[in-house]
Structures are given as structure tokens and as C-alpha cells.
Amino acid sequence: MTTHTTPLRLENLSVTLPQAAGGRVVLSDLSLELRAGEVLGIVGESGSGKTTLGLACLGLLPQGFSVAGDVYIHGTTLRSVAPGQRYRLRGRVLGYVPQEPMKALNPGMSIAAHVAEGLPATLTRAERAERAARWLAAVGLADGLSVQKLYPHALSGGQRQRVLLAAALAAEPDVLIADEFTTALDPATRELVVSLIREQVQVRGMSVVMISHDLELVARATDRLLVLRHGVCVEHGETKAVIAQPSSPYLQSLLALSLHFTPRAPLSLFPRAMTEEALND
Ligand SMILES: Nc1ncnc2c1ncn2[C@@H]1O[C@H](COP(=O)(O)OP(=O)(O)OP(=O)(O)O)[C@@H](O)[C@H]1O
């Protein structure tokens, strides 16, 4: 979609659980704007409302959840799009990498079919296969063409997570909502997929909502940070500034827990006594 409007805007968004599930407010009066080419990190403890926020942006909250306020996609409120039509936004406009790769893939669909789902209908069969293979390779599934023939059961959790990311990125979305998309990945693969996302941000101006428990990752991969607690925004601002000077006691304690153990410099594998320098002393 070629447009100069704001890709994603939330205006006083609140979400309440169905009465049968307790009728509790799980997201409270949230407003934000995500510009083209911007990466927004969402952090907060388990149950703070991160996934609910992602699903609300996609218009995919389960039936019975009530929503107050508005989600605007390129200036159009989701309210004006019938629930049955919202899937049309998936792919080229909104990309989604859900939190649970095991549940998100259809066991009866090949990997090729998953990646092809969000691609433009105008592409030929060969073009689809080529694009799918390219993106599967880009996320580190080296032999993209062979992977396409497989079914989800044949893949590990980390491979499934990468299939979901490849499927979302292959459609070249304006906004990518990635919910805990690195949990099953080893550190090298995590770096690979994060730099792939950053590349799409720079090259195409893709906007990203990055939901994660990994504060260290969010601190270096996002431009802006929003911290949720019990569904309420307790901190929101430029990532570097927020991390350097957190104003809420909650973020201060999260940072103390998450960053305290991160080594500031690579650790030497050997004690000084065993190094060449020490031997030559
Ligand atoms: N389908 C549902 N039925 C009942 N309660 C729900 C449902 N989905 C979410 N909730 C509740 O809404 C609150 C927010 O849940 P949400 O999944 O958004 O949290 P989260 O921050 O993403 O957590 P996590 O980090 O564990 O994924 C939680 O208290 C959760 O129990």
C-alpha cells in the first residue's frame, strides 16, 4: 500500500474480557502513533496485556472481548471494517508473527502454502515459489525450496517460528506485529532475524511492533519503547532515553533484573594467569 498516512494509530484503546472470563479491563486507555520506518518495543511482565495489544491492532481479538477507543490503520478505523473482512488487511498491510508457533501453523498445510497465503494473487506459481524460497532462506532455513515441501510437524519450534516470520515478511507488510518471535531461536539465528527486520525497516519503511520479554534485545533493536503493567502504560518514549532514565519504579526493577547479568564486555574464556600476556610477564 503506497500511502503517506500514519500506518498505525491507537486512540484511547481499552479492552475488556468477556463477562464469562471475568469482565476485567486488560488494556486501559492506550494511545500511540507508529510512523513509517519506526520500531516500537512493547515490554511488560506476563499477563500485562502485550498480546492483547497486538491482537487489538490486528482486529483479531477473540469473540466476546469488548473494545473501546479506536485502532486506525492508515487513517481508517478498524471499526469500519467488518470483522469478517479484517483478514483482508493481513499480508500486504499487517503482518503478524504470533507468539505460539506450534499453534499458529496449520498441520494440514505445507510450508509453501503458509508462505504463499499472504502473497499477491497476481504472482504466478513459479514467482510464488521463488519468493517463498528466498524468504525461507533469508530467515536461515537454508534450503528454502526443500523446506517448502515439508509440513509443520517436520520442523522444530525455532524453524516454525522462522517460517511464520518468513511468511509475514514475504508479503512485504506495512506494519509487522511480532509477538515473542525469538523465544525458540539460538543467539546467532536471533541476530539474523532481527537484522533482517531492521533491513526491511530501512529499505521499505516497514513499521514494527516488537513484543518481547527480552529487554536487552528490545533496548538495542527498537526506536521507541512502551512499558505495560496490568494493562496500563507506565512508560513510553524514545528507547535510549527511557532505558537511560526510567521514570517508573516498575521499569527500574525490570531493568535491574534483565540487564544486571548482561556482561558489559566479552568475557575472557581463560583466567588471566593462563593467557599469553601473563606467561610473557
Ligand atoms: N482468551 C482469554 N480469556 C481469558 N483471559 C484472557 C484471555 N486472553 C488474555 N486474557 C487475560 O488478559 C490478560 C492479558 O493477557 P495477555 O496475553 O495480553 O498478556 P501478555 O502480556 O501477552 O502475557 P505473556 O507475556 O505471558 O504472553 C491476562 O490477565 C490474561 O489472563
Side-chain angles (χ1 to χ4, degrees):
M1 184 178 281
T2 307
T3 171
H4 299 291
T5 58
T6 305
L8 175 69
R9 186 159 64 85
L10 309 185
E11 206 174 84
N12 306 113
L13 181 74
S14 296
V15 175
T16 306
L17 294 178
Q19 281 308 323
R24 199 160 38 89
V25 175
V26 287
L27 214 54
S28 185
D29 199 22
L30 211 62
S31 295
L32 64 88
E33 203 174 282
L34 187 64
R35 292 181 288 271
E38 216 178 8
V39 183
L40 172 72
I42 310 281
V43 297
E45 65 199 358
S46 187
S48 57
K50 304 181 298 296
T51 295
T52 304
L53 170 59
L55 291 174
C57 294
L58 292 150
L60 290 180
L61 284 167
Q63 256 198 340
F65 280 54
S66 57
V67 178
D70 274 298
V71 175
Y72 291 93
I73 308 292
H74 288 303
T76 300
T77 173
L78 275 182
R79 287 183 188 286
S80 66
V81 185
Q85 298 296 310
R86 288 179 189 167
Y87 72 92
R88 290 178 189 274
L89 293 171
R90 290 283 296 281
R92 183 69 188 88
V93 181
L94 297 172
Y96 182 41
V97 182
Q99 186 174 21
E100 297 183 58
M102 300 295 184
K103 286 190 190 162
L105 294 168
N106 180 340
M109 257 168 78
S110 70
I111 300 308
H114 279 95
V115 182
E117 240 191 345
L119 297 181
T122 48
L123 294 182
T124 65
R125 205 184 160 112
E127 285 168 338
R128 280 165 185 270
E130 185 280 324
R131 201 191 287 193
R134 189 155 40 87
W135 279 100
L136 288 166
V139 296
L141 295 169
D143 191 352
L145 265 179
S146 309
V147 172
Q148 288 192 66
K149 295 180 197 129
L150 299 177
Y151 283 76
H153 69 86
L155 302 180
S156 71
Q159 287 171 329
R160 292 178 201 199
Q161 212 159 31
R162 283 182 278 161
V163 165
L164 289 168
L165 181 63
L169 289 177
E172 301 189 338
D174 295 336
V175 180
L176 175 71
I177 296 174
D179 193 350
E180 294 289 359
F181 68 107
T182 62
T183 46
L185 304 183
D186 62 81
T189 310
R190 186 188 63 177
E191 293 311 308
L192 173 82
V193 300
V194 170
S195 48
L196 193 63
I197 288 176
R198 291 261 19 155
E199 189 182 277
Q200 290 300 299
V201 169
Q202 272 163 11
V203 174
R204 293 198 299 105
M206 181 175 77
S207 309
V208 183
V209 177
M210 192 181 281
I211 297 170
S212 181
H213 282 291
D214 186 344
L215 252 186
E216 189 272 330
L217 169 75
V218 170
R220 62 190 164 83
T222 67
D223 307 307
R224 265 193 304 138
L225 184 61
L226 188 145
V227 183
L228 281 178
R229 188 169 198 218
H230 304 315
V232 176
C233 169
V234 294
E235 199 120 24
H236 182 198
E238 200 221 332
T239 303
K240 279 199 187 87
V242 168
I243 297 278
Q245 279 198 312
S247 60
S248 66
Y250 176 61
L251 181 58
Q252 286 164 9
S253 62
L254 269 189
L255 284 168
L257 285 172
S258 308
L259 300 179
H260 182 68
F261 300 107
T262 306
R264 293 280 178 269
L267 294 172
S268 170
L269 286 178
F270 302 104
R272 185 171 185 275
M274 289 175 65
T275 63
E276 205 175 318
E277 182 196 338
L279 292 172
N280 292 335
D281 271 352

